[in-house]
Amino acid sequence: MTHPFLDLAPLSAERFAAIEDRVARLLDTRQDVVITQGEALLPLEGAIRATATPETIALNVITGPYGQTFGNWLRDCGATVHDLAVPFHTAVTADQIREALNEHPEIDFVSLVHAEAATGNTNPVAEIGEVVRAHGALFYLDAVASVGAEPVLPDAWGVDLCVIGAQKAMGGPAGVSAVSVSERAWTRMTNNPHAPRRSYLSLLDWKERWIDTGRKALLHAPAQLEMLGLEACVARIEAEGLDTLMSRHRAAAASTRAGALALGGGLEPYVHDPREAAPVATTLRTPAGVNASDLVARVLAADPALPLAAGGGPLAKEMIRVNHYGTDATPGTVRACLTGLGTAMAEQGLAVDVVGALGTAERA
Amino acid sequence: MTHPFLDLAPLSAERFAAIEDRVARLLDTRQDVVITQGEALLPLEGAIRATATPETIALNVITGPYGQTFGNWLRDCGATVHDLAVPFHTAVTADQIREALNEHPEIDFVSLVHAEAATGNTNPVAEIGEVVRAHGALFYLDAVASVGAEPVLPDAWGVDLCVIGAQKAMGGPAGVSAVSVSERAWTRMTNNPHAPRRSYLSLLDWKERWIDTGRKALLHAPAQLEMLGLEACVARIEAEGLDTLMSRHRAAAASTRAGALALGGGLEPYVHDPREAAPVATTLRTPAGVNASDLVARVLAADPALPLAAGGGPLAKEMIRVNHYGTDATPGTVRACLTGLGTAMAEQGLAVDVVGALGTAERA
Amino acid sequence: MTHPFLDLAPLSAERFAAIEDRVARLLDTRQDVVITQGEALLPLEGAIRATATPETIALNVITGPYGQTFGNWLRDCGATVHDLAVPFHTAVTADQIREALNEHPEIDFVSLVHAEAATGNTNPVAEIGEVVRAHGALFYLDAVASVGAEPVLPDAWGVDLCVIGAQKAMGGPAGVSAVSVSERAWTRMTNNPHAPRRSYLSLLDWKERWIDTGRKALLHAPAQLEMLGLEACVARIEAEGLDTLMSRHRAAAASTRAGALALGGGLEPYVHDPREAAPVATTLRTPAGVNASDLVARVLAADPALPLAAGGGPLAKEMIRVNHYGTDATPGTVRACLTGLGTAMAEQGLAVDVVGALGTAERA
Amino acid sequence: MTHPFLDLAPLSAERFAAIEDRVARLLDTRQDVVITQGEALLPLEGAIRATATPETIALNVITGPYGQTFGNWLRDCGATVHDLAVPFHTAVTADQIREALNEHPEIDFVSLVHAEAATGNTNPVAEIGEVVRAHGALFYLDAVASVGAEPVLPDAWGVDLCVIGAQKAMGGPAGVSAVSVSERAWTRMTNNPHAPRRSYLSLLDWKERWIDTGRKALLHAPAQLEMLGLEACVARIEAEGLDTLMSRHRAAAASTRAGALALGGGLEPYVHDPREAAPVATTLRTPAGVNASDLVARVLAADPALPLAAGGGPLAKEMIRVNHYGTDATPGTVRACLTGLGTAMAEQGLAVDVVGALGTAERA
């Protein structure tokens, strides 16, 4: 029998390029899109190492744990880094960016995480993009936790390096990822003698030996199963409609937030302003005296499949994360999470209204 | 790349036979096991048409919708059929069988459904088997809805024709099925000049051209993908342990039953005696004035993925089925079903205790 | 991760119906197409049992082994059967059919195999169809070994019951199959009180409970993996183009035939007239003194993957079958088969020209 | 239906570690084995960047194209590099290595490619390992094109960094790879302040955050489909037996070599000494006046599926590569390649004996 499900003749360059083009359409971008053969950390690191030099003056916005990593890579390349950290319960504002750029007019690189799965906030990239563009700095964006859940529009927003992965809202594989690169960013790289070349980290290799030669021959054997998984993932999103997919995420976030508030018992959204809450995950602050890790453990004991986690590091005691992305961006998952939290809180003697919470969640 | 996941060289006779042997081990039987190339209806029908003749006097036990079908096939073969129907909220008892056999001592064939997914009851096959065996009749059992959820033991129970399918508790494919056949049953078939031969319905073809020739060559091209699916399903059960799988189903049934009672609002188990309740599905009777179909529709509107259904035909108004089998035999599914029912009932003004029901379900 | 390759939510009735419609387009038919949940033997048998009665007078054309089976089923239904057997090295002609119909004007049913994989011949169904239609008999066609390799056009040819399977030229699964049914054939069935109903063999069940009710609910759980395999198979054929697929088979047959003749050593096409040779498989007659089974065994010892077999039964000594269908309908497979035969014959001292044969095959 | 084929719950750390252990068993090593989340170029580069410093004095053996790349990486790290290049038609000898080490006793790093798929030679790593070990240098080996086709034994041979990929003889996925690391190599890395850390290139990250913490949590989401593909690939090799797999490759190489010689027409093995010929691929030198690229194009026109290629770069005119690895390590593929070459040469008027070549190949 000819194989009915998987096409495992070697993945052709033509098909690889077609997958890149479909990802580009998903981002509505005319920039070059390179599908990188590793987890999203690969292009995130590769893009910084290719563009940052000792001459670089960077504004590194820290709204969650990844900002710290980006700062380390920038410093490793010799760049001068101005960190702009905001509390994890809020987003950074375009005004804060403008202020930082005015304070350090020599800044020529801005790094930002779009949505933070770990802390549940999302940043107003459209507005920030205008500010960065007006200033003239190169704009680097980590959109791994936003793509599929909310708009990611490199061209409209003036993003020069936009990195995505399929493993969150897209519900796809994690083993390949993608980066869209503007002409400006390519120029910055080609002018950088220290940019990685002939290296697994190199984006320039893909430009020079793949894009500039007409995408005829791959640099090396690809992660074929992940590529087929990505192709199937994009096909699924095209069939469902990106707008529908994003609506599902928005609805899950709104339901979780409203339901948690209606639940009572002192549970509160961690991100104060709903406009700053990420569609990919909702973070909640536990009431005083309730240890978040213990509560999560209690909920998972009753239903181990729920996409719930306590916050990381110092947030472990006070933050609960509800990861309603991909196949979990459904009313059923939201309901199960609210029910689990509510019953576990009730058992601790907290006054909660599970039925009311579910009704509120459904209407939200 | 050699195909990593699916082996699609033509399925060899050797591998086909090995799958049969693994199914036999699952049933702890030394009878011949034939894997039939169609849904379980194929061996259910094939077994009756091969054994029933105008001389046959059958006791056909009706504890759900399939009993009627078996009776039709039996009559179609010219058999004299004594139907023994019991209310759908109970199981048949060994005493009832004994009485029927005493009343019609000429009965030489007994047909029975083990567990009824449609009505939620399960019959005491071990005890019934003793009675049938003592009487000497051929014992035909439909174990499609029990295998994987509760013990199915043809040899220990004296079942002559035991039909199973993988699509319920086993969480496997529906496109192939299996029947274990005792020596007595083979003899009855070979003595029946009207038994189907050279027919898709024929079990004798498999005996004569497959088993008796050493299982060297298949009768025709098999449903290869379904066979591989069945092989993977059995391997998964072997890895999990059949006992563990059955425990999961028992626990789901006990939780659902206890939780529904604790929910209040007038919801009641449809099957009165918990020992007669099937592990594969729990049926519930809605309180007076609450239409089961409407309530189910309401629940599914909030969470379309729940394995809930209203009863069939005349039961549509009063019966709710919670199908907690296969991947749904989990605490999470049980919780989601109870929550869904509870909130929908609360919205109709019924006094329910969702938190209490979930706690009770977890402890059950 | 959402599953990248296989969609294993239960197969919906809508998707099942869509697969039927795509199969209908492949056959260019407006007749009802039923996808039957078993190997093609199921609808082949089901169609005869539904239409043949003791009143039926059948012309059963035997051009290979299946004709005998059809005759048995017809007789089993009480029909009067006139067998028309032709030597396996030729096709039946429209004139022979006309003659038989003139001889027995009461004939109201004609059964025919389109192409015979076992003997390598193919029958002129278009011409035969005209004759049968003019006579008014119901026309039953087994197109399992032709569909995908040569045109199969029930409407254009006036076929009333056209059975196909995907496991040969279509390169698809064997566990589900299909039959297209004309209005005339449905009428014959509904008028037949002995037509199987509420049976796995029943086509009427699909008409009454599936087609006539708007294809809303399946009769039973389908062979989902085989259905998805068939869907993928049809999608692949649509992408390649049915014409291209048929061209590949024609080319493989022409190459094999021409190459075998050019090979020399006494090897000859078994089917004398190239117009009567099936595109699905080429049968060859071994020279006097060369045992076909031995020669095939010798070839397979050197290259076990070749799609070669000796003839069945009495043909085992003199016939070699080259099964160049599905993924084997390629120049590479034809070349490997010719090379294998040529070298094995050379080792037996026969004068063969392998290089010449391959050149001839390539040009054919 | 529970998914029958692919387990796509997130890949657990436990299962990831189990795959590492099975790869370690395949290499018969007690060293740490890290499965790297990218093509084998990733650990090849990562291992050099982690161990090479400006103090490093390296002997870089060049027996094919990859040696040049390794030299570049070494120089990029500031190392002093002594290149030892041997003609592509031979292997390097242990004596040549000994001589080079004696000449530059300060050498503390030796890099070597085991087998060269591009040129068809294989190097005597066991003997070389003894020499390197006696000298005390760190021994870095690229075994991507040898693993599965011939023994790869890091412990027995004293290899400190042994990199493998599954995409050649193992017939597995290319998107993940593996490296075994000796204690000495880890020490060299930890003492190197410039070794990549918190980087996609970092091996130390895996040591410190994965191995040293008991392999409890992965550093980032893995390439799950490739990991499952690798797991299936290793399971398949375990089932077939590594020895059997290697035998298949040795037989394919011996057959191709002997068959090419018997073919005549001036075709010759590129690698003179059969003991230096790689089991993974056989390279052939075309006779004077026959352009290798043209000949290969001619062969592929007749049978596009053959694993044949012309040599790279300057070798394009004179070298033909027969890539008989993985699923192509079969008599059938060897026969088809010899037949293709023979018939194409015959058409150019060269005197070849295809039948004789195939007979010789079969006996070899």
Side-chain angles (χ1 to χ4, degrees):
Chain A
M1 190 193 312
T2 302
H3 201 292
F5 299 125
L6 299 182
D7 180 355
L8 284 179
L11 190 75
S12 67
E14 192 181 355
R15 190 164 176 184
F16 191 104
I19 301 172
E20 288 184 334
D21 293 344
R22 287 168 87 169
V23 170
R25 274 198 295 279
L26 209 66
L27 301 178
D28 203 11
T29 185
R30 304 185 60 176
Q31 296 180 1
D32 290 326
V33 166
V34 179
I35 298 189
T36 36
Q37 298 298 297
E39 208 265 353
L41 284 164
L42 174 63
L44 285 169
E45 182 181 358
I48 284 184
R49 292 200 189 276
T51 48
T53 70
E55 287 74 43
T56 301
I57 315 290
L59 174 65
N60 182 45
V61 186
I62 302 179
T63 57
Y66 279 104
Q68 194 62 47
T69 300
F70 300 163
N72 290 345
W73 287 335
L74 287 163
R75 287 183 184 90
D76 208 38
C77 295
T80 303
V81 181
H82 298 284
D83 284 330
L84 169 55
V86 299
F88 290 175
H89 62 263
T90 101
V92 71
T93 65
D95 283 344
Q96 287 173 300
I97 303 286
R98 185 179 295 111
E99 203 173 306
L101 292 175
N102 288 343
E103 196 177 337
H104 304 286
E106 69 283 14
I107 285 171
D108 62 356
F109 182 100
V110 175
S111 51
L112 178 71
V113 175
H114 187 181
E116 298 276 3
T119 49
N121 46 6
T122 187
N123 295 303
V125 184
E127 296 167 42
I128 293 170
E130 272 186 47
V131 174
V132 176
R133 199 72 173 174
H135 183 84
L138 208 71
F139 191 13
Y140 164 104
L141 185 72
D142 171 356
V144 174
S146 52
V147 64
E150 51 191 309
V152 174
L153 299 166
D155 292 10
W157 298 346
V159 179
D160 294 290
L161 292 156
C162 182
V163 172
I164 66 161
Q167 69 264 47
K168 293 206 179 289
M170 289 173 65
V176 291
S177 45
V179 54
S180 75
V181 186
S182 72
E183 273 310 311
R184 290 203 318 156
W186 282 132
T187 302
R188 184 93 61 119
M189 291 184 210
T190 46
N191 290 341
N192 175 10
H194 300 295
R197 288 167 192 256
R198 303 280 158 159
S199 166
Y200 210 80
L201 279 176
S202 177
L203 293 180
L204 278 178
D205 285 357
W206 286 95
K207 172 174 177 45
E208 294 168 358
R209 295 163 60 197
W210 168 245
I211 296 171
D212 292 352
T213 59
R215 300 197 296 182
K216 295 284 190 300
L218 293 165
L219 270 62
H220 56 76
Q224 177 162 355
L225 293 166
E226 300 283 317
M227 290 299 297
L228 292 175
L230 178 59
E231 185 185 55
C233 164
V234 173
R236 189 170 30 74
I237 294 175
E238 291 170 353
E240 177 180 10
L242 177 57
D243 285 345
T244 308
L245 178 63
M246 295 194 294
S247 294
R248 278 206 285 118
H249 283 84
R250 269 199 313 274
S255 287
T256 304
R257 187 178 183 92
L261 279 166
L263 198 56
L267 206 61
E268 284 180 7
Y270 196 88
V271 176
H272 298 190
D273 186 337
R275 290 166 304 179
E276 298 179 346
V280 81
T282 297
T283 45
L284 302 170
R285 184 187 295 277
T286 48
V290 175
N291 182 298
S293 293
D294 293 348
L295 185 62
V296 165
R298 181 71 197 77
V299 177
L300 294 181
D303 189 355
L306 293 182
L308 284 178
L315 300 171
K317 289 193 176 168
E318 59 185 277
M319 182 196 281
I320 291 170
R321 291 186 291 149
V322 184
N323 293 307
H324 38 61
Y325 56 72
T327 45
D328 283 325
T330 61
T333 298
V334 169
R335 288 169 64 87
C337 290
L338 291 171
T339 305
L341 288 169
T343 49
M345 289 169 74
E347 285 176 18
Q348 297 203 5
L350 296 165
V352 294
D353 176 8
V354 171
V355 171
L358 295 176
T360 302
E362 193 180 349
R363 287 183 296 272
Chain B
M1 188 193 315
T2 302
H3 201 290
F5 299 125
L6 300 184
D7 180 355
L8 285 178
L11 189 75
S12 67
E14 192 181 354
R15 190 165 176 184
F16 190 103
I19 300 172
E20 288 184 334
D21 292 344
R22 288 169 87 171
V23 170
R25 273 199 296 279
L26 208 67
L27 301 178
D28 203 10
T29 185
R30 304 184 64 176
Q31 296 180 3
D32 290 326
V33 166
V34 179
I35 298 189
T36 35
Q37 299 296 299
E39 210 264 351
L41 284 164
L42 174 63
L44 285 169
E45 181 181 358
I48 285 183
R49 293 202 189 275
T51 48
T53 68
E55 287 74 43
T56 302
I57 316 290
L59 174 65
N60 182 46
V61 185
I62 301 179
T63 58
Y66 279 104
Q68 193 63 47
T69 300
F70 301 162
N72 290 344
W73 287 334
L74 287 163
R75 286 182 184 90
D76 208 37
C77 295
T80 303
V81 182
H82 299 283
D83 285 328
L84 168 56
V86 299
F88 289 175
H89 63 263
T90 108
V92 72
T93 65
D95 283 342
Q96 288 173 301
I97 303 285
R98 183 180 297 111
E99 204 173 305
L101 293 176
N102 288 343
E103 196 177 338
H104 304 286
E106 70 282 15
I107 286 172
D108 62 356
F109 182 99
V110 174
S111 51
L112 177 71
V113 176
H114 186 180
E116 298 275 4
T119 50
N121 45 4
T122 188
N123 295 304
V125 183
E127 297 168 42
I128 294 170
E130 273 186 47
V131 174
V132 176
R133 201 71 173 173
H135 184 85
L138 206 72
F139 191 11
Y140 164 103
L141 185 71
D142 171 356
V144 175
S146 52
V147 65
E150 52 191 308
V152 174
L153 299 166
D155 291 10
W157 298 346
V159 179
D160 293 289
L161 291 157
C162 183
V163 172
I164 66 161
Q167 69 263 46
K168 295 206 178 288
M170 290 174 65
V176 291
S177 46
V179 56
S180 75
V181 186
S182 72
E183 274 309 310
R184 291 203 317 155
W186 282 133
T187 302
R188 184 95 61 120
M189 292 185 208
T190 45
N191 290 341
N192 175 9
H194 300 295
R197 288 166 191 255
R198 305 281 159 156
S199 165
Y200 210 79
L201 278 178
S202 176
L203 294 180
L204 278 178
D205 284 357
W206 286 95
K207 173 172 177 47
E208 293 168 359
R209 297 164 58 199
W210 169 244
I211 296 172
D212 291 352
T213 58
R215 298 196 298 182
K216 294 285 188 300
L218 293 165
L219 270 61
H220 56 75
Q224 177 160 357
L225 292 166
E226 300 282 318
M227 289 300 296
L228 292 174
L230 178 59
E231 185 186 54
C233 164
V234 173
R236 189 169 30 72
I237 293 175
E238 290 170 353
E240 178 179 9
L242 177 57
D243 285 346
T244 309
L245 178 63
M246 294 193 295
S247 294
R248 279 207 284 117
H249 283 84
R250 270 198 312 274
S255 288
T256 304
R257 187 177 183 94
L261 279 166
L263 198 56
L267 206 61
E268 283 179 7
Y270 195 88
V271 176
H272 299 190
D273 185 337
R275 291 166 303 180
E276 298 178 346
V280 80
T282 298
T283 44
L284 301 170
R285 184 186 294 276
T286 48
V290 176
N291 183 298
S293 294
D294 293 349
L295 185 63
V296 165
R298 180 70 198 77
V299 177
L300 294 181
D303 190 355
L306 292 181
L308 285 178
L315 299 171
K317 288 194 176 168
E318 59 186 274
M319 182 196 282
I320 292 171
R321 291 185 292 148
V322 184
N323 293 307
H324 38 62
Y325 56 71
T327 46
D328 283 326
T330 62
T333 297
V334 169
R335 289 169 65 86
C337 290
L338 290 172
T339 305
L341 289 169
T343 49
M345 289 168 74
E347 285 177 17
Q348 297 203 7
L350 297 165
V352 295
D353 175 9
V354 171
V355 171
L358 295 175
T360 302
E362 194 180 347
R363 285 184 297 271
Chain C
M1 188 194 313
T2 302
H3 202 290
F5 299 125
L6 301 184
D7 180 355
L8 285 178
L11 190 76
S12 67
E14 192 182 355
R15 190 165 176 183
F16 190 103
I19 300 172
E20 288 184 334
D21 293 343
R22 287 169 87 171
V23 170
R25 274 199 296 279
L26 209 66
L27 301 179
D28 203 10
T29 184
R30 305 184 63 176
Q31 296 180 2
D32 290 325
V33 167
V34 179
I35 298 188
T36 36
Q37 299 298 297
E39 209 266 350
L41 284 165
L42 174 63
L44 284 170
E45 182 181 357
I48 284 183
R49 293 201 190 274
T51 47
T53 69
E55 287 74 44
T56 301
I57 317 290
L59 174 65
N60 181 45
V61 185
I62 301 179
T63 58
Y66 280 104
Q68 193 63 45
T69 300
F70 300 163
N72 291 344
W73 287 335
L74 287 163
R75 287 182 183 90
D76 208 39
C77 295
T80 303
V81 182
H82 298 284
D83 284 329
L84 168 56
V86 298
F88 289 176
H89 63 262
T90 105
V92 72
T93 65
D95 283 343
Q96 287 173 300
I97 303 285
R98 184 179 297 111
E99 204 172 305
L101 294 176
N102 287 344
E103 196 176 338
H104 303 286
E106 71 282 15
I107 285 172
D108 61 357
F109 182 99
V110 174
S111 50
L112 177 72
V113 175
H114 186 181
E116 298 274 5
T119 49
N121 45 4
T122 188
N123 295 303
V125 183
E127 296 168 42
I128 293 169
E130 274 187 46
V131 174
V132 176
R133 201 70 174 175
H135 184 85
L138 206 71
F139 190 13
Y140 164 103
L141 185 71
D142 171 355
V144 174
S146 52
V147 65
E150 51 192 308
V152 173
L153 299 166
D155 291 10
W157 298 346
V159 179
D160 294 289
L161 291 157
C162 183
V163 172
I164 65 161
Q167 68 263 45
K168 294 207 179 287
M170 290 174 65
V176 291
S177 45
V179 55
S180 75
V181 186
S182 72
E183 274 310 310
R184 291 204 316 157
W186 283 132
T187 303
R188 184 96 59 123
M189 292 185 209
T190 45
N191 290 342
N192 175 10
H194 300 295
R197 289 165 191 256
R198 303 281 159 158
S199 166
Y200 210 80
L201 278 177
S202 175
L203 294 180
L204 278 179
D205 284 357
W206 286 94
K207 173 172 177 47
E208 293 167 359
R209 297 164 59 199
W210 168 244
I211 296 172
D212 291 353
T213 58
R215 299 196 297 182
K216 293 285 189 300
L218 292 165
L219 270 61
H220 57 75
Q224 176 161 355
L225 292 166
E226 301 282 317
M227 289 300 297
L228 292 174
L230 178 60
E231 186 186 54
C233 164
V234 173
R236 189 169 30 74
I237 293 175
E238 291 171 352
E240 178 179 8
L242 178 58
D243 285 345
T244 308
L245 178 63
M246 294 194 295
S247 294
R248 279 207 285 117
H249 283 84
R250 270 198 312 273
S255 288
T256 303
R257 188 178 183 93
L261 279 166
L263 198 56
L267 205 61
E268 283 179 8
Y270 195 87
V271 176
H272 298 191
D273 185 337
R275 290 166 303 180
E276 298 178 347
V280 81
T282 297
T283 44
L284 302 170
R285 184 187 293 276
T286 48
V290 176
N291 182 298
S293 293
D294 293 348
L295 185 63
V296 165
R298 180 71 197 80
V299 177
L300 295 181
D303 189 355
L306 292 182
L308 285 178
L315 300 171
K317 289 193 176 168
E318 60 186 274
M319 182 196 280
I320 292 171
R321 290 186 293 147
V322 185
N323 293 307
H324 38 61
Y325 55 73
T327 47
D328 283 326
T330 61
T333 297
V334 170
R335 288 169 64 85
C337 290
L338 291 171
T339 305
L341 288 169
T343 49
M345 288 169 74
E347 285 176 18
Q348 297 203 6
L350 297 165
V352 295
D353 176 9
V354 172
V355 172
L358 295 176
T360 302
E362 194 181 347
R363 285 184 297 272
Chain D
M1 191 193 312
T2 302
H3 201 291
F5 299 126
L6 299 183
D7 180 355
L8 284 178
L11 190 75
S12 67
E14 192 181 354
R15 189 165 177 184
F16 190 103
I19 301 172
E20 289 184 334
D21 293 344
R22 287 168 88 170
V23 170
R25 274 199 295 279
L26 208 67
L27 300 178
D28 203 11
T29 184
R30 304 185 61 175
Q31 296 181 2
D32 290 326
V33 166
V34 180
I35 298 188
T36 36
Q37 299 297 297
E39 208 266 350
L41 284 165
L42 174 63
L44 285 169
E45 182 181 357
I48 285 184
R49 293 200 189 276
T51 49
T53 69
E55 287 74 45
T56 301
I57 316 290
L59 174 65
N60 181 46
V61 186
I62 302 178
T63 57
Y66 279 104
Q68 194 62 47
T69 300
F70 300 163
N72 290 344
W73 287 334
L74 287 163
R75 288 182 182 90
D76 208 36
C77 295
T80 303
V81 181
H82 299 284
D83 285 329
L84 169 55
V86 298
F88 289 175
H89 63 263
T90 103
V92 72
T93 65
D95 283 343
Q96 287 173 300
I97 303 286
R98 184 180 296 111
E99 202 173 305
L101 294 175
N102 288 343
E103 196 177 337
H104 303 287
E106 70 281 16
I107 286 171
D108 62 356
F109 183 100
V110 174
S111 51
L112 177 71
V113 175
H114 187 180
E116 297 276 3
T119 50
N121 45 6
T122 187
N123 294 302
V125 183
E127 297 167 42
I128 293 170
E130 274 186 46
V131 174
V132 175
R133 200 72 173 173
H135 184 84
L138 207 71
F139 191 13
Y140 164 104
L141 185 71
D142 171 356
V144 174
S146 52
V147 65
E150 51 191 309
V152 173
L153 299 166
D155 291 11
W157 298 346
V159 179
D160 295 289
L161 292 157
C162 183
V163 173
I164 65 161
Q167 69 264 46
K168 295 209 178 284
M170 290 173 64
V176 291
S177 45
V179 55
S180 75
V181 186
S182 73
E183 274 310 310
R184 290 201 321 154
W186 282 133
T187 303
R188 184 96 59 121
M189 292 184 208
T190 46
N191 290 339
N192 175 11
H194 301 295
R197 286 166 193 257
R198 303 279 159 161
S199 167
Y200 210 80
L201 278 177
S202 177
L203 294 180
L204 279 178
D205 285 356
W206 286 94
K207 173 173 177 47
E208 294 168 359
R209 297 163 61 197
W210 169 244
I211 296 170
D212 291 353
T213 58
R215 300 197 296 183
K216 294 285 190 300
L218 293 165
L219 271 61
H220 56 76
Q224 176 161 355
L225 292 166
E226 300 282 318
M227 290 300 297
L228 292 175
L230 178 60
E231 186 185 55
C233 163
V234 173
R236 189 169 29 74
I237 293 175
E238 291 170 353
E240 177 179 11
L242 178 57
D243 285 345
T244 308
L245 178 63
M246 294 195 294
S247 295
R248 277 207 286 117
H249 283 84
R250 268 199 313 275
S255 288
T256 304
R257 187 178 184 93
L261 278 166
L263 197 57
L267 205 60
E268 284 179 8
Y270 195 87
V271 176
H272 298 190
D273 186 337
R275 290 165 304 179
E276 298 178 346
V280 80
T282 297
T283 44
L284 302 169
R285 184 186 294 277
T286 48
V290 176
N291 183 297
S293 293
D294 292 349
L295 186 62
V296 165
R298 181 69 198 77
V299 177
L300 294 181
D303 189 354
L306 293 182
L308 285 178
L315 299 172
K317 289 194 175 166
E318 59 187 274
M319 182 195 281
I320 292 170
R321 290 186 291 149
V322 184
N323 293 308
H324 39 61
Y325 56 73
T327 46
D328 283 326
T330 61
T333 298
V334 169
R335 289 169 65 88
C337 289
L338 290 172
T339 305
L341 288 169
T343 48
M345 289 169 74
E347 285 176 17
Q348 296 203 7
L350 296 166
V352 294
D353 176 9
V354 171
V355 171
L358 295 176
T360 302
E362 193 181 349
R363 287 183 296 272

